[in-house]
Amino acid sequence: MQRILLALLMLFVVSGSSRTTLAQQPTAKQIEAGAALYRKVGCFQCHVNEGQGGANGPRLGPNPIPLPRFIQYVRKPAGDMPPYSAKVLSERELGDIYAFLQTRKAPPPVNTIPQLAP
Amino acid sequence: MTQAAEATPPADVQVLADNERCGSDYMVDVIKSLGFEYVCANPGSSFRGLHESVINYGGNTAPELITCCHEESSVAMAHAYFKAEGKPLAVMAHGTVGLQHAAMAIYNAWCDRVPVYVLLGNHLDASERRAAEWYHGVQDAAAMVRDYVKWDDTPHSLAHFGESAVRAYKIAMTPPMAPVVITLDGGLQEHPVSRDHRLAVPRLTLASPPQGDSAAVDELARMLVAAESPLLVADRLARTPNGVTLLVELAEALQAGVIDQGSRMNFPSRHPLNQTQRGAAAVGDADVIVGLEVSDFWSTVNGLRDQLHRSTRRVARPTAKLITVTTGDLYIRSNYQDFRRMQEVDLAIAADGEATLPSLIEAVKRLTTGDRTRVFQERGARLTEASRAAAERARVAASYAWEASPVSTARLCAELWTQIKNEDWSLVSSYYSPDVGGWARRLWDFSRPYQWLGHAGGGGIGYGAPASVGGALANKKHGRLSVAIQTDGDLMYAPGVLWTAAHHTIPLLSVMHNNRGYHMEAMHVQRMCSARDRGIDRGYLGSELSSPNIDYARLAQSMGVYAEGPIENPNDLAPALRRALAVVKKGEPALVDVVTQVR
């Protein structure tokens, strides 16, 4: 029972922080921790170093899908992506990864990049 | 050697008499008649007789000997050379240790249905073997690769060699093409034969490839003309430059979408009917799907979910009519499983795809009425818009992480494209999987047959570097600018091929996609970590190529190749590429080491 209460509390904290802190301004500490985790648990292998996506996974950032859906997807992917259980990646850690992805630099307008001229 | 001969004291004269020639000179006569431009080899005593005949009797031209540092390099060079030039190269190797090195590359060529002409040296006569010839001797040299060559023989006489050498060439070049092996006895190469012993060189007549049965081709044309959303999927279709022209003609006659799976350059990347970039959607939309020399038709119309419990589902519409045109139905082997999963189809035409296209085009045009033409035009307009939107999405996707360091693979490809797009270029590197995120194929304008040379075939890593040098060798005489996007893990198999490029002044720009690891494999291990739920953070162990980092510029420089790098700042890339291109345009190889994002 205590465990369930704790889990509920955690959920509240994480989703709460997503709405308040994360949605507005992730802290530098969160971004830094998220960057390290994003590498450490291998998200970068498929979604590439800056979350820009590639042949093995879609783009995740900036503007990732809302945090609750993000967490739900990582726990129970619908397609080929391997699942990450709470045992190997906590919701707080996923929140940090989310913060890292949220704050990736938006690209310059494509038409201003001569190397990408059609 | 007979007992009597063994007992005979050696002749005084130990050089060829005026009325004698050696067997390997005749072998060169035959090899020359087949039109080989080069023979790639790492030197080996079991074919020293032929080696000497190639350089002295043959004058080291047609074929010219290319010095390789590994037999895997020799074969992979020949593999890609064929795809650029449409002609096979010969390879010489020891029947034992040389073939053992060459085996993986032969397997790649076999899976890719590419002819490579392998000549093995071996000393059959035990009574004559020198010491080394014992462990370089084997009863049946080709046995080791017999599962993945189309034909092999061990001639017992020079006349037998002549027939088998010409037969092997013909078999290798008849679709479905594949490598062949001829084992050359050391005695046959080295023993003198009388000049009076007249040895004719058999005439080569290549077989014309099999065309589809006319009734089946008509039926296919009817299905295509009646279809609302036909889709042409091409993989190993274009055997010759004309294959591209024919596929364009068929697609335009029908205003049908095309997916180019890329084992060959089949279809211009920016043709409005090219739907490759939206392949999954195109397959899902189609009511008739035609696989033209598709090596894995099952995976074209189905998907496999790579989870702990694997599952499959059809991605094509359940009612879609499926048709295959392939020489795959004419040739299958048991042991190696490159034939892929069995796909139920509605019509199977056992024939060469390219050879069948003219009659298919003719039948489609004959059956097309005015009503259908209007439907086709509307469809063409829709597909044109869909491919335009997909290309636009690719450009936008490439702009993400544009300024990032390490350099994004999209940026690498875009910078390289900017430097070469006004040249007569050829991308000679190619990979098993879309290592560089498929960015070159997404962003560049591939329109000429030699601009894309397909994949390794069997997924054997180590193919990329020698294949690039082999493709560049083919491009050299045409004055084309050869460029390679060279992965680090692949180069580390046999980097000596860079020396081969320098030694033979083969112009080639290699741009390293140096992500300091075997990241595809790291991804697989991490997938296992996830499935077993015991932490992912050690998943990189065993797949990294760092600590220490490898300095590819110095590696290349040590072999006489101009090189720069490592480059980490994307803004340093363009000037480095320009400097390296200046070297390549002078006719030499150059390498730029770029530290990149993972994929």
Side-chain angles (χ1 to χ4, degrees):
Chain A
M1 185 65 190
Q2 248 185 354
R3 278 234 188 106
I4 293 168
L5 273 178
L6 197 67
L8 278 174
L9 192 69
M10 287 281 293
L11 197 68
F12 175 76
V13 171
V14 172
S15 51
S17 71
S18 83
R19 245 175 270 126
T20 53
T21 339
L22 284 181
Q24 290 154 14
Q25 198 82 78
T27 67
K29 231 177 110 190
Q30 272 180 310
I31 299 166
E32 197 186 322
L37 277 164
Y38 181 78
R39 271 196 90 84
K40 190 172 156 213
V41 302
C43 314
F44 84 119
Q45 294 288 1
C46 302
H47 296 286
V48 198
N49 305 45
E50 298 293 316
Q52 77 266 33
N56 293 81
R59 182 169 68 76
L60 297 179
N63 314 321
I65 55 175
L67 183 65
R69 267 180 55 206
F70 182 89
I71 295 176
Q72 196 189 7
Y73 198 86
V74 173
R75 298 282 185 245
K76 258 182 168 300
D80 246 2
M81 171 170 149
Y84 288 78
S85 74
K87 187 178 144 194
V88 298
L89 195 59
S90 72
E91 296 208 347
R92 182 178 298 278
E93 288 173 320
L94 269 172
D96 290 345
I97 291 176
Y98 192 83
F100 166 73
L101 292 169
Q102 260 187 316
T103 53
R104 291 309 81 209
K105 210 169 148 190
V110 69
N111 288 329
T112 65
I113 304 178
Q115 296 94 320
L116 290 176
Chain B
M1 199 185 265
T2 60
Q3 266 188 336
E6 262 183 287
T8 312
D12 293 339
V13 180
Q14 289 287 339
V15 294
L16 279 182
D18 285 347
N19 64 344
E20 288 176 332
R21 65 189 305 215
C22 48
S24 54
D25 282 3
Y26 168 72
M27 291 176 181
V28 167
D29 289 340
V30 178
I31 289 166
K32 275 185 178 286
S33 80
L34 297 173
F36 291 108
E37 286 180 87
Y38 301 100
V39 53
C40 294
N42 182 249
S45 59
S46 59
F47 55 88
R48 63 186 187 178
L50 181 61
H51 185 149
E52 193 274 342
S53 291
V54 166
I55 55 179
N56 280 332
Y57 174 72
N60 200 28
T61 57
E64 177 188 342
L65 193 63
I66 300 290
T67 313
C68 296
C69 302
H70 196 300
E71 289 81 356
E72 192 174 292
S73 308
S74 306
V75 175
M77 279 183 68
H79 181 167
Y81 179 96
F82 176 82
K83 288 194 279 186
E85 189 65 12
K87 278 169 68 177
L89 284 193
V91 167
M92 297 189 295
H94 275 306
T96 51
V97 289
L99 183 60
Q100 286 156 9
H101 266 161
M104 187 210 78
I106 295 175
Y107 181 66
N108 268 340
W110 181 74
C111 289
D112 203 19
R113 298 297 184 267
V114 165
V116 175
Y117 196 89
V118 183
L119 296 163
L120 300 178
N122 185 34
H123 279 272
L124 285 168
D125 188 341
S127 71
E128 283 201 338
R129 286 182 190 148
R130 293 179 303 112
E133 286 161 3
W134 280 95
Y135 43 71
H136 289 166
V138 51
Q139 285 185 344
D140 181 4
M144 209 186 102
V145 294
R146 192 160 289 136
D147 272 326
Y148 44 93
V149 298
K150 203 169 162 195
W151 191 69
D152 73 272
D153 198 16
T154 303
H156 282 255
S157 68
L158 289 172
H160 183 174
F161 167 81
E163 288 182 18
S164 290
V166 174
R167 189 198 299 270
Y169 192 97
K170 179 179 175 178
I171 289 173
M173 289 292 285
T174 305
M177 302 186 200
V180 289
V181 171
I182 298 288
T183 306
L184 307 175
D185 175 41
L188 209 56
Q189 297 173 57
E190 295 185 23
H191 288 159
V193 287
S194 162
R195 285 190 186 275
D196 298 338
H197 180 40
R198 288 195 53 79
L199 285 162
V201 174
R203 184 158 56 98
L204 169 73
T205 305
L206 288 179
S208 55
Q211 278 190 30
D213 159 73
S214 55
V217 169
D218 270 6
E219 190 183 341
L220 171 55
R222 267 193 298 278
M223 289 162 101
L224 281 169
V225 169
E228 289 313 307
S229 192
L231 180 66
L232 307 171
V233 184
D235 187 19
R236 284 192 213 115
L237 175 71
R239 274 187 293 104
T240 72
N242 196 38
V244 182
T245 311
L246 290 170
L247 184 58
V248 169
E249 195 180 342
L250 177 63
E252 288 179 355
L254 287 160
Q255 291 296 302
V258 175
I259 292 179
D260 184 350
Q261 293 186 330
S263 287
R264 303 289 184 270
M265 166 78 202
N266 294 301
F267 201 68
S269 62
R270 292 191 180 174
H271 192 288
L273 294 171
N274 192 327
Q275 306 296 306
T276 309
Q277 294 206 37
R278 50 180 296 277
V283 169
D285 285 348
D287 58 350
V288 171
I289 302 176
V290 187
L292 297 162
E293 298 292 355
V294 170
S295 52
D296 190 359
F297 198 55
W298 186 90
S299 295
T300 304
V301 295
N302 297 283
L304 184 142
R305 191 167 175 233
D306 186 8
Q307 295 286 7
L308 191 59
H309 303 284
R310 295 185 187 187
S311 55
T312 60
R313 75 192 164 90
R314 177 151 162 145
V315 291
R317 284 193 218 167
T319 53
K321 291 266 180 269
L322 305 181
I323 299 102
T324 54
V325 184
T326 176
T327 48
D329 283 342
L330 298 171
Y331 176 74
I332 189 165
R333 305 298 290 272
S334 305
N335 197 13
Y336 289 85
Q337 304 284 301
D338 83 313
F339 41 77
R340 316 296 177 96
R341 225 174 139 176
M342 225 274 305
Q343 174 60 47
E344 292 173 8
V345 295
D346 299 283
L347 179 64
I349 302 181
D352 177 66
E354 184 176 320
T356 303
L357 284 182
S359 53
L360 181 59
I361 292 166
E362 200 269 321
V364 162
K365 287 185 176 168
R366 183 167 27 88
L367 293 168
T368 302
T369 56
D371 289 358
R372 293 313 292 161
T373 306
R374 272 187 297 282
V375 174
F376 292 1
Q377 278 161 353
E378 281 164 25
R379 180 164 69 216
R382 276 198 310 277
L383 291 171
T384 300
E385 176 49 28
S387 61
R388 193 205 54 77
E392 186 57 21
R393 282 196 300 277
R395 286 175 65 222
V396 172
S399 70
Y400 282 86
W402 187 253
E403 294 293 339
S405 171
V407 181
S408 80
T409 50
R411 176 88 187 249
L412 183 152
C413 287
E415 293 287 357
L416 180 54
W417 173 238
T418 305
Q419 300 303 324
I420 65 167
K421 65 182 174 188
N422 296 322
E423 311 280 347
D424 184 18
W425 58 272
S426 166
L427 180 64
V428 287
S429 59
S430 41
Y431 305 104
Y432 170 53
S433 56
D435 292 57
V436 259
W439 283 117
R441 302 266 287 154
R442 293 175 76 184
L443 298 174
W444 300 10
D445 183 7
F446 291 82
S447 57
R448 301 192 186 144
Y450 51 82
Q451 286 178 329
W452 171 254
L453 302 186
H455 309 291
I461 310 296
Y463 166 83
S468 298
V469 177
L473 179 64
N475 286 331
K476 182 177 165 174
K477 72 166 183 280
H478 302 290
R480 297 172 194 148
L481 172 66
S482 299
V483 296
I485 298 165
Q486 176 60 54
T487 53
D488 52 338
D490 176 277
L491 181 60
M492 287 305 285
Y493 276 79
V497 77
L498 293 175
W499 175 86
T500 299
H503 181 69
H504 291 283
T505 50
I506 301 171
L508 166 65
L509 172 63
S510 302
V511 183
M512 294 297 300
H513 164 23
N514 175 9
N515 59 15
R516 295 182 171 154
Y518 295 102
H519 281 281
M520 193 72 189
E521 307 314 312
M523 193 185 77
H524 281 297
V525 177
Q526 283 177 351
R527 192 176 275 287
M528 293 296 97
C529 295
S530 282
R532 290 158 191 191
D533 206 16
R534 46 192 180 202
I536 299 94
D537 44 327
R538 290 153 66 83
Y540 66 91
L541 285 175
S543 308
E544 268 187 319
L545 283 172
S546 55
S547 312
N549 291 331
I550 299 161
D551 188 336
Y552 294 97
R554 278 170 58 196
L555 176 80
Q557 285 159 0
S558 78
M559 291 188 259
V561 173
Y562 174 89
E564 291 196 28
I567 287 171
E568 304 206 17
N569 179 342
N571 296 318
D572 294 340
L573 190 48
L577 290 176
R578 279 194 288 270
R579 287 189 294 272
L581 271 173
V583 173
V584 176
K585 284 185 178 173
K586 282 193 305 186
E588 289 167 30
L591 180 143
V592 177
D593 181 13
V594 187
V595 181
T596 63
Q597 305 219 341
V598 282
R599 56 185 78 246

